[in-house]
Amino acid sequence: MSNPLYPLHAYCFSLFICSLSRFSVDLTDCYYEQFHLISKDPSFTVRSDGAIVAVAEVSVTTRGRTFSVLAEDNTGRESELEVHLAIAPQKKEVILAVARTKRRWSPPPLEIPENDLGPFPKAVETIRSDSEAKEPVYYEISGPGVDQGFFTLDRETGILYVHQTIDREKIPKFIVIVSAFSRRTNQQSDQPLDLAINVLDKNDNAPEFKDSLQFTVLEQSNPGTVVGQVNGTDKDEENTFRTKIKYTLLSGTDLFAIHPETGVITTVTNTLDRELVIVQLQDMFGASDGLSTTGTATITVGDINDNPPTFTKTSYEASVPENESEKLILRIPVVDRDLINTPNWVSKFVITKGNENGNFRIDTDPKTNDGLLYVSKPLDYEKTKSIKLDVMARNVAELTGTTAQWSSIPVNVNVIDVDEGPEFTAPTIRFIVKENVPNNTLIGTYTASDPETKSSDGIKYYKVTDPASWISVDKNTGELRVANTIDRESNFVQDGIYNITMKAVDSTSKTGMGKVILQVEDENDNIPVVPISDLVICETQGKFGSVLVVAEDKDQPPFSAPFTFSLPTDKDGKWSVTRLNDTTATLNQIQDLPTGIYSVPVVIKDLQGFGDKQTVKVRICNCVNGVCKDRPSSISLGPLALLAMLLPLALLLLLCILLAFFCRTKGDKIELEDAGDGGGILLKSNTEGRGEEVDPTLITVLPFEKNTGLNSGWQDTKNMTGLGGHSVQENGMYKSGVDMQDFFSSHHGSHYDQLTGHGGGGGGMGFDSRHLVQDSSFFHTWQTNGLYLQPKLPYLGGEHDGRYADDIIHSYGFEGVGSAAGSVGCCSDFGDNDSLEFLNTLGPKFKTLADVCTKK
């Protein structure tokens, strides 16, 4: 043992050789918990309980075998222990299965090394159940490791086998279930066993860098300044010596240092530049048999603003013509040694002196970092011939790490004289004028002079803008006079102000501009008026209505409101007026008035008593939601619209006159003969009452005999035709079975009495058929049909039969007045018929008339 920390001696180990592939060394008497123990021989590993276990097949000769175990205490101090292996003299080899004759059913977790290369299958452990002492058993195994093909169990012997290499970083532990069954009953002879199999870690993963290796530190940083931290990670088992990382710098150690445990990089000098350093990660805290990884860390030295911008000259001079603005007059370059395009390099210029009037501004060229001096307001050579400025250059960032200060330089700006146009005595002049003053009234004089000579000789004056043409200008003197009536209430006047633009032109045609403001004073030239004269009062039962009358006056105070309202002396006593406020009065109805439109005169005067009578139209009506519901629409048509409406009527009238004139003058006068019956097509008609008139001669009259009763006359007539085309059968009965006597007497009683000579519909006395023939209209078709239908109606269901209104007899009154639309008559049954074929069947009279009208 070298560099001993504790008295570790060979006698504290007891060696047990179990086979050529597995043995253990007991370190329980060596206080192993005070150390981190690592085998330097990859064929062995030190377990957590201090036992050294062979993880691979070990060959031991008669000379024995020696390897080292590294011991490290909690402070990081290391010692190395030599382990000597020798073969026991009494046995060269002991088979594991023979050595272990009995196993308890609940063994401690089994352990297998990761990355074992075989050969496979390899025995791991023999499982024994306590029930095996009582009866023969067999074993079965299940679980994730079995399903994946890692483990099998010999059901007869209980030996557990591993079949393939296992990576602990993927599967650190297996839980398999072992069951014992009676060979006699095939029933479980013991409770199932959850067997844990831990995969022993091996240092097979080198540490890795976890984060980026990009760091920045400002220049001139003091030694010990933290640059950044390197973070490493290891996939091996956590909190073991195999994953303890040691950080080391392989380069740049003259500029930086790194803490071996935390990985924090610090500076060791203040003379830094952009650097690349190589960092090494070692597990097992740098043990010689540990694994390592290297990476390149980039450490950028950040710039600080320790260099102010400096001017390339000690002073500058520039020239600018007068009256010019927004013009670049000077470019001022600077030099800055800080990092380009950073706040430490970008310049910012300030005019510290000479720009009290704001005639200049200075900007920064973003590409060159130069200062750009502009004239922003025109300069006047006659007032200022040169200006001295002081310009300071500074950075966006403040200075640090240096004692230097911002620098300034003088800049002299010369103003160049330019031949200018005339200038008015003032850029803007104001005159006060009253409205309605007479034309040619002098308002004032507005003149200009040459800025160099101060003379007005040869200068002419003109108007540029005069919206309402109210002003005339004397071009030689600049006098302003009234040209048209000035009205303060004009739309060209805003808040009593009227603007005019003037121009002065010298002999060299150079011009100068000026502005004239006319402040127009008000006069009482407008009376109060009522802009809305059509007012509405909604009629309310038992109440008198009122309406608000609002007046306005275009004049300004004191020539306008407050107004006075009154009724004229000749008022009709239907209305009263009461002043509500300065511009409004209430017009009250004091009599009960019918609906309609009323013109109410109201006298309205302004504050000066200037006013007149105004007529207010008031409409009294029935309202719906405050609006007259019977108010007619008012549409005003212009002359062209009226002409367009009357023109077709005039053309139609002219056409009728021409047609009449043409027929009278061009056609021959022909006597039309009455050829007798027109076949029922062309009939005379003079209907002035209800219905349509029909010639009674067209109606077939019933052939009643003389001196016989109505009943007998009809009974003796067989198969007669009449009464609207209906056949009358024997015994005076219709086919429908209605007695004709009852027909006439019951439903046309009064008319029947006149024919029979009986009143009240009684008696069985007959009547002369001549009476019936003389009153031939009685048999008009429409009347006959009416008489026939009349008795049929009572046979329809009445209201008591549950029938509805359409089936019930209704009474209709005739008031003797025809429809305004005219009679529809029988033609309504034909509907629309555009065919003209009927013209060929109208007979000879119509053809003759057509020939007369079409003859040329």
Side-chain angles (χ1 to χ4, degrees):
M1 182 183 298
S2 61
N3 300 324
L5 300 176
Y6 296 94
L8 299 177
H9 302 285
Y11 67 82
C12 69
F13 295 91
S14 58
L15 177 61
F16 301 95
I17 299 177
C18 299
S19 69
L20 292 178
S21 60
R22 181 178 178 83
F23 74 95
S24 63
V25 178
D26 191 2
L27 300 178
T28 54
D29 298 331
C30 300
Y31 306 101
Y32 63 89
E33 65 274 5
Q34 300 180 14
F35 304 93
H36 296 293
L37 302 176
I38 300 173
S39 173
K40 300 187 71 174
D41 189 335
S43 298
F44 303 95
T45 184
V46 182
R47 295 195 312 192
S48 59
D49 58 357
I52 299 176
V53 180
V55 296
E57 185 175 352
V58 178
S59 176
V60 181
T61 64
T62 56
R63 297 180 181 179
R65 181 170 178 170
T66 302
F67 65 94
S68 298
V69 174
L70 184 65
E72 180 185 10
D73 65 4
N74 294 329
T75 63
R77 291 178 297 177
E78 297 178 353
S79 296
E80 189 170 317
L81 174 70
E82 289 186 355
V83 179
H84 301 277
L85 300 180
I87 301 175
Q90 67 276 15
K91 292 182 181 180
K92 292 184 179 180
E93 181 176 350
V94 177
I95 303 303
L96 179 64
V98 177
R100 301 186 180 274
T101 60
K102 185 178 180 180
R103 270 293 189 189
R104 58 178 178 169
W105 181 239
S106 299
L110 303 182
E111 295 178 339
I112 59 175
E114 70 168 329
N115 300 328
D116 191 358
L117 299 179
F120 298 108
K122 179 178 287 188
V124 177
E125 186 65 270
T126 301
I127 308 300
R128 289 288 182 265
S129 171
D130 294 339
S131 63
E132 188 176 2
K134 300 178 181 179
E135 59 180 334
V137 298
Y138 64 90
Y139 300 93
E140 290 185 358
I141 188 173
S142 62
V146 179
D147 298 339
Q148 298 172 10
F150 288 106
F151 304 100
T152 60
L153 183 68
D154 190 317
R155 59 179 291 158
E156 302 297 334
T157 64
I159 299 176
L160 179 68
Y161 293 93
V162 60
H163 289 263
Q164 55 182 296
T165 301
I166 300 176
D167 186 359
R168 190 207 66 86
E169 283 69 43
K170 294 182 178 179
I171 307 177
K173 184 177 183 179
F174 294 93
I175 301 294
V176 297
I177 301 174
V178 181
S179 301
F181 295 87
S182 171
R183 291 178 181 272
R184 181 175 54 84
T185 64
N186 291 328
Q187 300 294 324
Q188 286 189 355
S189 61
D190 207 338
Q191 293 293 328
L193 172 66
D194 291 343
L195 180 63
I197 305 175
N198 295 326
V199 182
L200 296 178
D201 185 33
K202 186 177 181 181
N203 191 24
D204 58 341
N205 291 282
E208 300 174 353
F209 290 97
K210 185 177 180 180
D211 301 320
S212 172
L213 298 179
Q214 301 290 332
F215 306 103
T216 300
V217 62
L218 296 177
E219 63 177 337
Q220 299 185 14
S221 295
N222 296 325
T225 301
V226 175
V227 176
Q229 184 176 10
V230 178
N231 292 315
T233 183
D234 197 314
K235 294 181 180 179
D236 290 322
E237 187 176 359
E238 296 180 357
N239 302 319
T240 64
F241 195 65
R242 291 178 295 279
T243 56
K244 185 175 183 180
I245 298 175
K246 181 179 181 180
Y247 299 89
T248 308
L249 289 182
L250 301 183
S251 66
T253 54
D254 57 333
L255 302 175
F256 306 97
I258 188 170
H259 193 279
E261 293 186 3
T262 63
V264 175
I265 300 176
T266 57
T267 60
V268 297
T269 180
N270 61 355
T271 58
L272 299 175
D273 199 352
R274 182 181 175 89
E275 298 291 343
L276 299 176
V277 298
I278 299 176
V279 183
Q280 177 178 261
L281 306 181
Q282 294 176 290
D283 61 7
M284 299 179 64
F285 204 66
S288 59
D289 56 346
L291 303 177
S292 64
T293 302
T294 60
T296 302
T298 302
I299 302 176
T300 303
V301 179
D303 181 44
I304 62 173
N305 193 19
D306 54 347
N307 295 287
T310 58
F311 295 99
T312 59
K313 294 183 179 181
T314 57
S315 64
Y316 289 92
E317 189 168 348
S319 299
V320 56
E322 63 176 334
N323 303 322
E324 290 193 6
S325 62
E326 294 303 324
K327 180 179 180 180
L328 177 63
I329 62 175
L330 183 63
R331 180 180 286 270
I332 305 174
V334 293
V335 176
D336 197 314
R337 294 185 295 174
D338 290 316
L339 188 62
I340 295 176
N341 295 325
T342 64
N344 301 330
W345 176 82
V346 176
S347 298
K348 184 170 64 175
F349 298 89
V350 180
I351 302 175
T352 59
K353 182 180 178 182
N355 195 32
E356 289 76 11
N357 295 327
N359 296 98
F360 303 93
R361 64 180 175 87
I362 188 167
D363 299 331
T364 302
D365 189 325
K367 295 183 179 180
T368 64
N369 211 27
D370 294 344
L372 305 177
L373 182 63
Y374 291 87
V375 57
S376 56
K377 290 172 59 177
L379 297 171
D380 189 354
Y381 174 81
E382 285 70 31
K383 296 180 180 178
T384 305
K385 294 179 173 55
S386 66
I387 300 176
K388 296 185 181 298
L389 305 176
D390 282 347
V391 177
M392 174 188 291
R394 52 181 301 151
N395 294 124
V396 174
E398 295 294 333
L399 289 173
T400 182
T402 181
T403 59
Q405 301 293 323
W406 308 121
S407 59
S408 299
I409 58 168
V411 177
N412 186 37
V413 180
N414 296 316
V415 182
I416 301 174
D417 187 22
V418 177
D419 185 12
E420 303 171 280
E423 293 181 354
F424 281 97
T425 53
T428 303
I429 192 171
R430 182 185 295 265
F431 296 109
I432 298 176
V433 59
K434 287 188 176 183
E435 64 174 333
N436 303 318
V437 296
N439 292 349
N440 205 36
T441 300
L442 178 63
I443 297 175
T445 302
Y446 191 33
T447 59
S449 61
D450 189 283
E452 282 81 17
T453 63
K454 306 300 180 183
S455 173
S456 299
D457 296 339
I459 297 178
K460 305 296 183 181
Y461 305 95
Y462 304 94
K463 290 190 304 180
V464 178
T465 59
D466 180 11
S469 300
W470 286 345
I471 305 300
S472 63
V473 179
D474 190 315
K475 68 177 181 178
N476 296 315
T477 63
E479 288 183 350
L480 306 177
R481 295 182 179 273
V482 178
N484 291 293
T485 302
I486 298 175
D487 184 7
R488 192 183 187 280
E489 287 72 43
S490 170
N491 294 330
F492 298 104
V493 178
Q494 300 295 330
D495 297 327
I497 299 299
Y498 181 76
N499 295 317
I500 303 170
T501 305
M502 296 285 296
K503 177 174 68 174
V505 182
D506 63 11
S507 57
T508 61
S509 298
K510 289 185 172 60
T511 62
M513 305 296 292
K515 183 177 181 180
V516 177
I517 297 176
L518 295 185
Q519 182 174 335
V520 183
E521 292 185 343
D522 191 24
E523 284 192 346
N524 197 7
D525 56 343
N526 293 280
I527 64 174
V529 297
V530 179
I532 302 176
S533 59
D534 192 1
L535 306 176
V536 175
I537 293 178
C538 293
E539 188 176 41
T540 305
Q541 188 69 26
K543 294 183 180 179
F544 292 154
S546 63
V547 70
L548 296 179
V549 179
V550 181
E552 65 179 23
D553 194 328
K554 294 183 179 180
D555 293 325
Q556 297 296 315
F559 305 119
S560 59
F563 303 136
T564 58
F565 299 86
S566 62
L567 296 177
T569 56
D570 56 346
K571 58 185 178 180
D572 55 8
K574 299 178 181 178
W575 306 89
S576 67
V577 64
T578 304
R579 182 172 178 272
L580 182 63
N581 54 36
D582 290 351
T583 60
T584 307
T586 303
L587 185 62
N588 302 289
Q589 175 188 351
I590 60 177
Q591 288 187 7
D592 189 8
L593 301 175
T595 58
I597 299 175
Y598 297 88
S599 296
V600 182
V602 180
V603 178
I604 307 175
K605 296 183 179 181
D606 60 19
L607 183 60
Q608 308 300 326
F610 185 44
D612 202 351
K613 181 171 62 177
Q614 304 292 322
T615 300
V616 179
K617 289 186 178 181
V618 180
R619 179 188 297 270
I620 302 177
C621 61
N622 295 322
C623 296
V624 176
N625 296 328
V627 179
C628 291
K629 63 181 180 180
D630 57 347
R631 185 171 183 177
S633 300
S634 178
I635 303 176
S636 178
L637 298 177
L640 293 178
L642 295 175
L643 180 60
M645 294 175 61
L646 295 177
L647 184 59
L649 297 177
L651 292 176
L652 181 60
L653 179 60
L654 180 60
L655 180 61
C656 294
I657 294 174
L658 291 176
L659 183 61
F661 181 75
F662 175 78
C663 292
R664 284 181 174 272
T665 57
K666 298 298 182 182
D668 296 331
K669 188 172 182 181
I670 300 176
E671 184 73 15
L672 297 176
E673 296 181 2
D674 190 356
D677 187 9
I681 299 175
L682 297 178
L683 302 177
K684 297 179 181 179
S685 178
N686 188 21
T687 301
E688 295 179 345
R690 58 182 175 181
E692 294 179 338
E693 188 177 38
V694 182
D695 189 350
T697 61
L698 299 178
I699 305 299
T700 304
V701 182
L702 293 174
F704 291 113
E705 296 181 0
K706 297 182 182 180
N707 301 324
T708 59
L710 181 62
N711 291 339
S712 62
W714 284 31
Q715 292 173 359
D716 294 339
T717 304
K718 297 182 179 180
N719 199 19
M720 294 183 298
T721 302
L723 293 176
H726 294 283
S727 63
V728 182
Q729 293 183 350
E730 194 173 6
N731 296 326
M733 299 293 290
Y734 282 106
K735 289 182 179 181
S736 60
V738 180
D739 188 281
M740 296 305 297
Q741 183 177 359
D742 296 335
F743 178 88
F744 288 115
S745 62
S746 301
H747 305 291
H748 210 288
S750 60
H751 204 58
Y752 175 77
D753 293 340
Q754 294 176 2
L755 295 174
T756 59
H758 295 278
M765 184 177 182
F767 64 93
D768 194 338
S769 62
R770 290 174 295 179
H771 297 167
L772 181 62
V773 175
Q774 290 175 356
D775 192 3
S776 59
S777 62
F778 178 77
F779 296 102
H780 290 178
T781 301
W782 66 272
Q783 290 175 324
T784 305
N785 289 338
L787 294 175
Y788 171 67
L789 294 175
Q790 191 74 17
K792 296 291 287 184
L793 292 176
Y795 291 93
L796 298 174
E799 189 174 9
H800 60 277
D801 296 327
R803 306 294 292 272
Y804 294 97
D806 289 343
D807 296 333
I808 301 171
I809 301 175
H810 300 279
S811 300
Y812 296 92
F814 179 74
E815 297 178 0
V817 180
S819 171
S823 175
V824 176
C826 61
C827 298
S828 61
D829 296 333
F830 292 101
D832 294 335
N833 190 356
D834 294 334
S835 177
L836 301 180
E837 292 295 328
F838 70 95
L839 297 177
N840 297 325
T841 61
L842 293 180
K845 292 183 179 180
F846 179 82
K847 292 184 178 181
T848 304
L849 177 61
D851 293 337
V852 172
C853 295
T854 57
K855 184 179 292 184
K856 297 183 181 179

